[in-house]
């Protein structure tokens, strides 16, 4: 089996002013630079307006990503930001299809796929988010929902290098609630099997599948120890250097 290098990614959402954000990013970057032979990658995804100062602040020590992108290269899309702009600013990852985008902005699987295709075509890495709502979980549809989202949102040209999957149960985001480790293990195994069905076993074996949803220092170690969990997408706990670093340390 291919070895997968874990990725710990911070999703700041609509948080931080410039001074807080650059201090946060620089704090993590300094700690990471001081780590001997780190065994995981670290990424911070600030609001788009702070990508430039955050890229400066991290000095190339950790990766910087965007929280979303428009699928088109340029044009009449007031308020949107394109992948070439994100790349030009120095970012190398883009989160697409986060549940807050799917809910607040009514993004469909087809739109998420188009965004991921744009990310890939410009040589950046797409973090494609999937996950079930509480009602879907209660109805026993978790795996079915994830499989449908994978089929609909993951481009056919996805590889282990240009795509990362983030499994984020919607009901676990920002709530302090998480699935049991057995549930996370079962869903991640099913996600990898669906990727294998779509893209082949080799790609599936190499692709990183992150867990997201109320990851914090107190639960990170047991989640990151699961065989098919290759890192975390962290919201609230990525906004403090000490908390985010404690999560990174579980994979370091
Ligand atoms: P949370 O958010 O860690 O605050 O639950 C995770 C996410 O939405 O990516």
């Amino acid at each position: 089996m291919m070895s997968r290098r874990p990725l710990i990614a911070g999703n700041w959402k609509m948080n931080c002013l410039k001074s807080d954000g650059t201090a946060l990013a620089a704090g993590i970057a300094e700690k990471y630079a001081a780590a001997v032979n780190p065994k995981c990658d670290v990424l911070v995804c600030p609001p788009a307006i702070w990508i430039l100062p955050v890229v400066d602040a991290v000095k190339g020590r950790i990766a910087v990503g965007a929280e979303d992108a428009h699928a088109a290269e340029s044009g009449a899309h007031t308020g949107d930001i394109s992948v070439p702009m994100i790349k030009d600013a120095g970012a190398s990852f883009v989160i697409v299809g986060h549940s807050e985008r799917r809910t607040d902005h009514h993004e469909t699987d087809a739109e998420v796929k188009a965004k991921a295709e744009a990310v890939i075509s410009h040589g950046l890495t797409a973090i494609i988010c999937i996950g079930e709502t509480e009602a879907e979980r209660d109805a026993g549809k978790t795996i079915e929902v994830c499989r449908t989202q994978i089929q609909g949102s993951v481009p056919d040209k996805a590889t282990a290098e240009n795509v990362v999957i983030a499994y984020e149960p919607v009901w676990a985001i920002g709530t302090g609630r998480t699935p049991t480790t057995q549930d996370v293990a079962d869903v991640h195994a099913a996600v990898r099997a669906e990727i294998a069905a779509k893209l082949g076993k080799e790609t599936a074996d190499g692709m990183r599948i992150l867990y997201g949803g109320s990851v914090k220092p107190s639960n990170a170690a047991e989640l990151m120890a699961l065989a098919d969990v290759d890192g975390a997408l962290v919201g609230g706990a990525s906004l403090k250097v000490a908390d985010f670093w404690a999560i990174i340390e579980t994979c370091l």
Side-chain angles (χ1 to χ4, degrees), residues 21 39 95 146 160 162 186 212 223 227:
K39 290 178 196 63
I95 299 170
C146 291
N162 64 23
D186 290 348
L223 289 163

Side-chain angles (χ1 to χ4, degrees), residues 159-250:
T159 68
E161 286 73 44
N162 64 23
V163 163
V164 173
I165 305 291
Y167 167 58
E168 301 202 300
V170 177
W171 54 274
I173 294 175
T175 59
R177 296 162 60 206
T178 53
T180 63
T181 48
Q182 187 60 53
D183 283 346
V184 173
D186 290 348
V187 177
H188 277 239
V191 167
R192 200 174 301 286
E194 193 64 19
I195 298 283
K198 185 180 169 75
L199 302 169
K201 187 173 183 317
E202 198 180 322
T203 298
D205 280 348
M207 190 173 285
R208 296 187 280 193
I209 306 174
L210 313 184
Y211 169 78
S214 295
V215 177
K216 45 196 175 204
S218 59
N219 62 17
E222 64 172 344
L223 289 163
M224 296 306 111
L226 299 170
D228 280 306
V229 174
D230 310 308
L233 183 55
V234 186
S238 74
L239 297 172
K240 287 199 182 119
V241 172
D243 287 353
F244 194 45
W245 186 253
I247 293 167
I248 292 165
E249 274 187 316
T250 66

